[in-house]
Amino acid sequence: MEEIQKAIHQMEAKQTEEALHTLQSYLPEADEEERFTIAELYIQWGMLEEAKLILHELIQRYPKEQELKVMMAEIHIDLEEDDEAIEILDQFGPEDEDYLQALIQLADLYQSQGLFEVAEQKLLTAKQVEPNEAVIDFALGELSFSNGEYNKSIPFYENAFYHQPVIADIEVAARLAEAYAATGEFEQSLNYFQKVEEDNPDVMFRYGFVAFQAFRNDIAIHIWERLIEEDPYFQSVYPLLAQAYNAEGMTKEALEMVRKGLAKDEFNKELYHLAGTLYHKSGQKEEGYRLMREAVALDPGYKEAVLFLIENYKSDEDYEAIIDLINQLITMGEEDPFYLFELAKAYEEVEDFKQALVHYENAYPSLKEDSVFLKSYGYFLVEEGKMNEGRQILEEYLAVDPTDTEIEDFVSRLKEE
């Protein structure tokens, strides 16, 4: 045992190679108890293959020693040797002291392999052995939750919470809060979020988010303000807190929160989008447009921001701005057919009919079953004197929307001319 103590001291002094050499040299003359101690040290030091060799030998000598089998199973699990771990754990029966632990570990292994029904069966067997064991209920709750069976997980979580509020450093109240939120039971979810004692940033964020979903902006604001105070770099919360302020009519606070968020993350397109919306809403249109264009510059594929700009430019009758925006997007490779349609209409408004026709024609292959496009395109062609083409497009429109008697009459008149 002196050599083992020597190896421990060497390891504590960061003399790793010397420590390992000491143990390896002593191992041939070590007795069974010392070999077991060396195996434990190997496990602590992360030398699982070396520990496995020792334990295998000890199990051969002492096949009824359950502790050895449990240790070996845990090593196999750590080495992701699931089949070997299962083979060992399946050897435990109801008469064995470690039967319950073996069932729980088996359930975890089967779950990791996607065999959820087998995993559940192992846990239900364990629950028959120990009906009020919180760890088993928690494991059943976790299994159901991971499968999206949120209603099913709730009774298991509640039973676990009743017997043991914290399991494996996880507050069961947080799991219950998430399960109730997933079923749409927001008030119950909020009740359990209130029972969570640890100020975990992720849990606080979710607490605020569920409150926000439940239109309890007062709770969301309170929780998220605390979260930002404790962790100013929790960037996901800034746009949501700004939205909560905005929903409560607190425009000034919403704008301030957006500014703070952009100071922390200047590449957050959602923050630019929200800032643009808020500034536009408060009457500062130009600043709103500038910020919204920043969002598009960060991500040309950000349709929500693009559509905001198009719709508001149309409201302002600023068709040149629409033309400039969409042409820039096309240059960047964003050739959405609806953008081409909007571009055609914008050129039509500024009386650049040649360009309008080009973009109507480009949009047609993708939008030839869109009634709004076909009606607009057909009218445009007729107004441009292209009667036959216009009539044909309007007939295609009527095939999509045969209830439009006004267009039907219009097409009939075109045929008569």
Side-chain angles (χ1 to χ4, degrees):
M1 194 64 82
E2 287 182 11
E3 288 297 295
I4 294 175
Q5 288 299 322
K6 177 183 174 182
I8 292 171
H9 292 315
Q10 287 172 328
M11 186 62 78
E12 288 172 350
K14 301 192 185 319
Q15 297 171 353
T16 307
E17 290 186 14
E18 292 86 341
L20 296 177
H21 179 73
T22 300
L23 287 185
Q24 287 163 2
S25 300
Y26 183 63
L27 189 58
E29 59 187 88
D31 60 27
E32 279 79 358
E33 184 180 346
E34 290 172 329
R35 285 172 176 268
F36 180 77
T37 303
I38 292 172
E40 286 183 312
L41 288 174
Y42 277 151
I43 292 170
Q44 288 176 30
W45 298 345
M47 301 180 65
L48 301 183
E49 291 292 349
E50 289 79 357
K52 192 162 67 170
L53 289 172
I54 298 173
L55 288 173
H56 179 73
E57 183 187 335
L58 290 173
I59 289 170
Q60 293 293 103
R61 294 188 185 184
Y62 305 101
K64 294 184 179 181
E65 282 294 329
Q66 295 178 26
E67 186 179 3
L68 297 174
K69 292 180 180 180
V70 170
M71 286 176 68
M72 182 67 98
E74 288 173 348
I75 288 173
H76 283 307
I77 291 169
D78 288 340
L79 291 172
E80 297 183 358
E81 297 169 349
D82 292 357
D83 291 341
E84 291 85 345
I86 289 170
E87 185 180 350
I88 291 173
L89 294 169
D90 269 334
Q91 296 173 18
F92 287 85
E95 70 284 355
D96 293 319
E97 185 180 340
D98 293 299
Y99 179 54
L100 201 62
Q101 182 183 349
L103 287 170
I104 294 170
Q105 285 182 312
L106 280 168
D108 189 50
L109 287 167
Y110 283 123
Q111 183 178 350
S112 69
Q113 294 182 342
L115 300 170
F116 302 112
E117 291 184 8
V118 181
E120 183 180 42
Q121 193 54 52
K122 294 296 180 185
L123 289 173
L124 290 174
T125 301
K127 189 166 174 59
Q128 289 177 346
V129 177
E130 287 288 344
N132 295 318
E133 177 56 56
V135 172
I136 298 170
D137 279 305
F138 183 71
L140 282 163
E142 293 281 84
L143 181 62
S144 299
F145 191 94
S146 69
N147 287 335
E149 299 174 296
Y150 306 113
N151 277 316
K152 186 176 177 180
S153 73
I154 288 170
F156 293 124
Y157 280 140
E158 285 183 332
N159 201 36
F161 179 72
Y162 176 78
H163 289 97
Q164 191 176 330
V166 179
I167 296 173
D169 295 328
I170 297 170
E171 290 197 58
V172 184
R175 289 291 201 268
L176 274 164
E178 292 290 359
Y180 274 115
T183 62
E185 297 279 348
F186 295 126
E187 287 302 323
Q188 278 284 64
S189 174
L190 293 176
N191 286 338
Y192 275 106
F193 270 122
Q194 288 174 352
K195 297 178 191 295
V196 178
E197 295 183 4
E198 183 187 0
D199 283 344
N200 179 296
D202 291 322
V203 174
M204 291 173 72
F205 177 77
R206 287 290 302 157
Y207 184 6
F209 188 73
V210 170
F212 187 58
Q213 285 182 302
F215 304 104
R216 291 298 307 272
N217 293 314
D218 54 330
I219 295 175
I221 288 169
H222 173 68
I223 295 299
W224 282 338
E225 283 178 342
R226 271 182 51 211
L227 173 54
I228 284 178
E229 189 176 319
E230 293 180 17
D231 185 357
Y233 288 93
F234 201 106
Q235 294 165 355
S236 302
V237 79
Y238 286 93
L240 290 169
L241 181 50
Q243 288 179 50
Y245 282 137
N246 187 47
E248 292 298 298
M250 302 165 69
T251 306
K252 181 180 175 183
E253 289 83 353
L255 285 169
E256 179 60 26
M257 191 51 55
V258 166
R259 281 193 289 270
K260 286 182 178 178
L262 287 172
K264 296 285 187 297
D265 182 6
E266 59 183 321
F267 300 109
N268 188 320
K269 66 181 183 182
E270 284 84 6
L271 279 172
Y272 279 110
H273 177 272
L274 182 57
T277 304
L278 291 171
Y279 273 104
H280 198 275
K281 179 183 174 183
S282 66
Q284 301 178 63
K285 281 189 174 183
E286 286 308 311
E287 181 62 7
Y289 283 137
R290 184 190 72 78
L291 290 162
M292 198 64 72
R293 285 194 295 268
E294 287 281 353
V296 176
L298 285 168
D299 180 7
Y302 191 12
K303 284 191 176 180
E304 195 172 353
V306 173
L307 294 176
F308 175 94
L309 288 168
I310 290 172
E311 292 306 314
N312 283 283
Y313 284 144
K314 279 199 285 191
S315 296
D316 294 344
E317 298 184 358
D318 189 351
Y319 301 106
E320 292 289 355
I322 294 174
I323 291 168
D324 180 59
L325 171 67
I326 297 177
N327 276 326
Q328 283 183 19
L329 290 170
I330 291 171
T331 302
M332 295 175 185
E334 296 294 327
E335 291 196 32
D336 187 296
F338 286 103
Y339 293 172
L340 297 176
F341 181 24
E342 292 293 348
L343 187 54
K345 290 190 291 182
Y347 275 122
E348 192 176 353
E349 290 289 346
V350 299
E351 299 184 1
D352 188 341
F353 302 120
K354 183 178 178 181
Q355 283 295 323
L357 178 59
V358 168
H359 293 293
Y360 270 123
E361 288 174 344
N362 289 339
Y364 174 74
S366 299
L367 300 179
K368 58 186 178 183
E369 295 182 3
D370 184 282
S371 60
V372 176
F373 170 78
L374 291 171
K375 187 174 182 178
S376 180
Y377 186 20
Y379 267 132
F380 170 78
L381 289 170
V382 171
E383 289 171 6
E384 284 299 288
K386 299 178 183 295
M387 301 299 180
N388 290 333
E389 295 95 322
R391 189 183 70 234
Q392 180 183 335
I393 294 297
L394 289 174
E395 284 175 344
E396 290 179 25
Y397 163 74
L398 286 172
V400 177
D401 184 4
T403 63
D404 194 332
T405 55
E406 184 181 336
I407 294 296
E408 189 176 18
D409 293 341
F410 182 63
V411 170
S412 296
R413 291 198 299 274
L414 287 176
K415 288 179 179 178
E416 293 170 1
E417 293 178 4

